[in-house]
Amino acid sequence: MSWAGPEDIHLSTSLASYLDKKLLVLLRDGRKLLGILRSFDQFANAVLEGACERVIVGELYCDMPLGLYVIRGENVVLIGELDLEREELPPHMTRVSPAEIKRAQKAEREASDLKGTMRKRMESIIFRTIIGFPVLRFSTMSSVWALLVVLSFVCVEASVHDYAAVKFAAKGNAFVVHGGSEGIYYSVPGRNETDISADGDSFIRFDKVTFRRARDYTNFSSGLVHAIIFEVEDRETIGGSAYGGQRAVCCTGDLAKLGVCKEGEVIHRPSPKNPDWPQVFGVSFDVNEEITTLPSKSIEITRTGMYNLYFIHCDVRLENVVVEGKTVWKNPNGYLPGRMAPLMKFYGLMSFAFVLLGLFWFSQYARFWREVLPLQNCITLVITLGMLEMALWYFDYAEFNENGIRPTGITLWAVTFGAIKRTVARLIILMVSMGYGVVRPTLGGITSKVVMLGATFFVASEVLEMVENVGAVSDLSGKARLFLVLPVAVLDAFFILWIFSSLSATLKKLQARRMLIKLDIYRKFTNALAVAVIVSVGWICYELYFKSKDIYNEQWQNAWIIPAFWQVLSFSVLCVICALWAPSQNSMRYTYSDDGNEEFDRDDTSLTLIKPSPIPSKDVRPVPEARSLDVDGDLEEDKTE
């Protein structure tokens, strides 16, 4: 046996000993060729007579005839001589026809796709949401409000997973419906892990889950339709393969011969950490039966983890079957999914923080209401919107946790108030950066551009938040929402560039005019914004790293920190702005003053002298009313006169 490749051409001389012998040639693309070596050259290019390609799938194989075949030496990985006196393959291998091996290859590829689908199961729900989401025109504000009205009449269920005639999708050699994925805690905080007897246990309950098939397909009894619940750490216990081949979800004839499973059923093995898991049970259709129902049962969760539910069957005759009914997923403290449960407490704390900020601001506003600037009125609006947003999110999560059904109306209002607050806050920062109300009375000709940017950002932010929150069924977030994140990110970047370019121009003008009080406050404002931008960029990098490392969503217990951070950061920036521009008895010193010292557009820095006219006389020529202040010139004029 020898290696042949373009970098080892001198080894090709060893092929002489293999002339007129049957060889096995392994190519770079993984193909395996068999044939009799009839010729070769100095570049290890070889000619095989009676060549065939051996295709192996599990325990099946087939030799696909190729005839006289020329092989380029650079494509060869390995060449070996076959022993004709011994069996080429183990006795359990079965030779099949080319048509059968092609079907087996197709099933193998589909099984590989299924495995990839289960790894990325969090994408399916969000993707279905986006596909069914109406396409919005960012230039049309009315379309957003029309969508809000439509969604307000829709009852969205979350921890109560509803299946309304959901069809099975063919994945590999199985037919699959994703029933849900949620993080569930085994008990209330502080309880002993072995104590699961107290009230408030977490569970997954099947409530009238039925499978329905068409009347025209009821003339046979079917195989089992399975319900499978497994924890994400036990994902490898679902599916199997024979002799190191490709994994399959449904038991094949080859695996059935080995006695590891029953043909036509889902392959599963006990979890190494908990022999009672995964939970697998199912029902079948009898002859002339249109509907079959899973037994109503509650599965107690005794271990904290991310749990997945799949409905799977292996009978090709049941490809038109649909799933109906619902399942209820409960944590010890309520129906909120595990990732969302800490957010309810977080929004409660944020509501309290906004109340404290509001008390400080409104007390200052009431004391010095005669000195209030237009800018301070805008800040008051942002604080009010923030208080309403945090309160609505808290009530939304509290209602969700109590009933297991997300209140769509409250969610829509929370999303809308949040989008308005973020838009107004960005516009305020932009206007302050331009010096509005402080060093210039109006925005002038750029007002329309500022309003257009704000309206576009509001629409993009509103759509993104509705997709992410309204209709969220599982405790996962998908990558498909990236298409809606990008417009918001681009608009945010545009805001940042415009803000800092405006701040740079404003600082230069303030410094040139020596307005020290306003210059000091603008420097503090610039430093606060710079720190916020740097922290934001760092957190975005961390978020990307977090999501890239958590492909199975195993870190779901810490995922709530990511959305919470952005709320804390925006609140911190708002606090800085409130501290810098709080109403006071000296508020008017920050306002725009229309006097000669605050004209930004005036570049005239030379002084002029108004020279009085001498006593009127017929012989005296008129004297110019104004002259430049020039000492030598004035003296010269005096001498002349």
Side-chain angles (χ1 to χ4, degrees):
M1 185 177 296
S2 64
W3 295 88
E7 67 277 9
D8 296 316
I9 296 176
H10 63 278
L11 293 179
S12 64
T13 56
S14 63
L15 292 176
S17 61
Y18 293 113
L19 279 173
D20 301 324
K21 293 182 179 179
K22 190 172 184 180
L23 303 181
L24 170 65
V25 182
L26 179 62
L27 302 183
R28 290 183 183 274
D29 60 2
R31 290 187 297 161
K32 297 173 281 294
L33 304 181
L34 287 75
I36 299 175
L37 180 64
R38 292 304 187 191
S39 178
F40 69 95
D41 60 13
Q42 68 271 24
F43 300 106
N45 299 322
V47 178
L48 296 183
E49 182 184 22
C52 63
E53 179 184 358
R54 176 157 292 176
V55 181
I56 301 176
V57 179
E59 294 183 357
L60 307 178
Y61 79 97
C62 178
D63 292 335
M64 313 284 286
L66 302 175
L68 192 65
Y69 202 81
V70 179
I71 304 173
R72 292 177 60 89
E74 63 183 9
N75 294 330
V76 177
V77 175
L78 183 68
I79 296 179
E81 181 182 358
L82 294 175
D83 189 350
L84 301 179
E85 297 181 358
R86 299 179 57 185
E87 290 289 337
E88 297 179 5
L89 293 172
H92 63 266
M93 300 295 291
T94 304
R95 182 166 185 162
V96 296
S97 65
E100 292 177 344
I101 202 68
K102 289 180 180 179
R103 287 196 295 268
Q105 282 182 308
K106 181 180 179 181
E108 185 182 54
R109 288 192 299 268
E110 292 176 345
S112 178
D113 294 341
L114 174 61
K115 184 178 179 181
T117 301
M118 295 179 69
R119 285 182 177 181
K120 299 177 181 180
R121 58 197 177 279
M122 70 289 292
E123 299 179 14
S124 60
I125 294 173
I126 304 298
F127 182 76
R128 288 199 303 270
T129 304
I130 292 178
I131 291 299
F133 208 82
V135 179
L136 297 177
R137 296 175 57 190
F138 287 97
S139 61
T140 307
M141 296 293 291
S142 60
S143 61
V144 177
W145 294 108
L147 181 61
L148 288 174
V149 173
V150 172
L151 289 176
S152 64
F153 294 99
V154 179
C155 181
V156 179
E157 298 185 344
S159 278
V160 179
H161 293 256
D162 186 35
Y163 317 111
V166 182
K167 294 183 178 180
F168 282 81
K171 300 295 182 181
N173 63 346
F175 297 86
V176 181
V177 167
H178 183 212
S181 299
E182 287 189 14
I184 303 180
Y185 293 92
Y186 72 92
S187 62
V188 296
R191 286 176 54 187
N192 188 288
E193 184 169 353
T194 59
D195 181 17
I196 59 172
S197 59
D199 294 336
D201 290 338
S202 51
F203 58 80
I204 300 175
R205 186 174 70 237
F206 290 79
D207 190 0
K208 298 180 180 179
V209 177
T210 62
F211 305 102
R212 182 187 300 272
R213 61 179 177 177
R215 185 183 299 274
D216 297 337
Y217 296 89
T218 60
N219 57 348
F220 62 91
S221 59
S222 70
L224 286 174
V225 182
H226 300 82
I228 302 177
I229 303 175
F230 61 93
E231 205 268 327
V232 67
E233 293 184 1
D234 300 330
R235 56 187 177 274
E236 296 298 331
T237 63
I238 306 299
S241 61
Y243 311 106
Q246 192 67 38
R247 292 179 64 87
V249 174
C250 291
C251 185
T252 62
D254 300 329
L255 291 170
K257 292 177 183 178
L258 297 176
V260 297
C261 59
K262 185 177 179 180
E263 186 173 2
E265 294 187 358
V266 175
I267 304 169
H268 62 92
R269 298 175 304 282
S271 167
K273 295 183 179 180
N274 190 346
D276 296 332
W277 287 82
Q279 295 282 332
V280 181
F281 56 97
V283 292
S284 60
F285 288 93
D286 293 331
V287 178
N288 298 326
E289 189 176 37
E290 292 185 42
I291 300 175
T292 184
T293 305
L294 283 174
S296 297
K297 59 185 303 184
S298 293
I299 298 175
E300 189 176 38
I301 304 301
T302 59
R303 184 166 171 259
T304 299
M306 172 62 67
Y307 288 86
N308 304 269
L309 168 62
Y310 283 90
F311 300 107
I312 303 177
H313 73 78
C314 306
D315 195 336
V316 295
R317 299 172 297 176
L318 295 178
E319 59 181 351
N320 64 340
V321 170
V322 296
V323 184
E324 299 174 348
K326 65 181 180 180
T327 55
V328 180
W329 305 53
K330 183 179 179 298
N331 269 288
N333 294 326
Y335 292 96
L336 270 178
R339 179 183 60 88
M340 301 171 68
L343 287 173
M344 184 175 70
K345 296 180 180 178
F346 169 77
Y347 284 122
L349 293 175
M350 287 300 298
S351 299
F352 181 70
F354 264 98
V355 168
L356 293 180
L357 179 62
L359 289 175
F360 162 76
W361 183 265
F362 293 134
S363 62
Q364 293 294 105
Y365 193 98
R367 288 177 60 192
F368 308 106
W369 63 273
R370 295 181 182 274
E371 308 291 329
V372 170
L373 307 176
L375 175 63
Q376 292 167 334
N377 290 328
C378 296
I379 297 174
T380 304
L381 175 62
V382 173
I383 295 175
T384 305
L385 290 172
M387 295 172 64
L388 292 173
E389 181 194 12
M390 295 299 106
L392 286 170
W393 278 124
Y394 176 78
F395 288 123
D396 175 67
Y397 278 49
E399 181 72 14
F400 188 6
N401 188 58
E402 182 69 23
N403 301 322
I405 300 176
R406 194 161 193 174
T408 307
I410 299 179
T411 306
L412 287 174
W413 281 112
V415 165
T416 303
F417 277 118
I420 296 174
K421 184 200 74 174
R422 286 187 293 274
T423 303
V424 174
R426 282 161 174 77
L427 291 178
I428 288 175
I429 294 175
L430 179 59
M431 290 189 297
V432 169
S433 303
M434 294 176 176
Y436 170 72
V438 179
V439 293
R440 61 191 302 175
T442 65
L443 296 180
I446 61 175
T447 303
S448 59
K449 297 179 181 179
V450 173
V451 173
M452 184 180 299
L453 177 61
T456 306
F457 179 83
F458 168 74
V459 174
S461 180
E462 178 81 355
V463 172
L464 173 63
E465 291 297 319
M466 284 195 295
V467 170
E468 191 171 16
N469 294 283
V470 180
V473 176
S474 286
D475 198 0
L476 302 167
S477 59
K479 298 177 183 177
R481 61 186 287 269
L482 177 65
F483 296 103
L484 297 177
V485 171
L486 284 177
V488 178
V490 171
L491 291 171
D492 256 332
F494 192 81
F495 262 116
I496 292 172
L497 292 176
W498 200 355
I499 286 169
F500 278 97
S501 63
S502 301
L503 275 174
S504 177
T506 303
L507 287 171
K508 288 180 181 178
K509 291 180 180 180
L510 289 172
Q511 191 170 10
R513 301 302 303 270
R514 296 184 179 181
M515 300 176 182
L516 300 182
I517 296 177
K518 295 179 181 179
L519 180 62
D520 180 63
I521 195 172
Y522 264 86
R523 282 176 174 170
K524 294 178 181 179
F525 180 63
T526 303
N527 293 336
L529 288 184
V531 171
V533 171
I534 293 173
V535 173
S536 298
V537 172
W539 188 258
I540 290 173
C541 295
Y542 169 76
E543 185 175 347
L544 293 174
Y545 172 80
F546 179 87
K547 291 183 177 180
S548 65
K549 292 296 183 180
D550 190 29
I551 58 176
Y552 298 114
N553 210 46
E554 295 176 276
Q555 301 298 322
W556 57 274
Q557 297 182 66
N558 300 323
W560 68 274
I561 298 175
I562 292 176
F565 170 82
W566 297 111
Q567 295 286 356
V568 173
L569 181 63
S570 63
F571 180 77
S572 301
V573 174
L574 180 60
C575 288
V576 171
I577 294 175
C578 290
L580 293 176
W581 273 281
S584 66
Q585 60 183 0
N586 298 320
S587 293
M588 299 305 295
R589 64 180 177 176
Y590 300 127
T591 190
Y592 172 76
S593 177
D594 190 13
D595 55 27
N597 293 328
E598 298 214 356
E599 292 181 2
F600 270 21
D601 298 331
R602 182 162 182 163
D603 297 328
D604 229 356
T605 56
S606 62
L607 299 176
T608 58
L609 176 63
I610 308 299
K611 190 172 182 178
S613 175
I615 300 173
S617 174
K618 297 181 179 179
D619 299 328
V620 180
R621 290 174 298 177
V623 180
E625 294 181 359
R627 296 168 185 251
S628 297
L629 182 61
D630 191 313
V631 176
D632 294 336
D634 289 343
L635 291 175
E636 191 68 23
E637 286 181 0
D638 292 340
K639 289 179 181 179
T640 302
E641 292 178 354

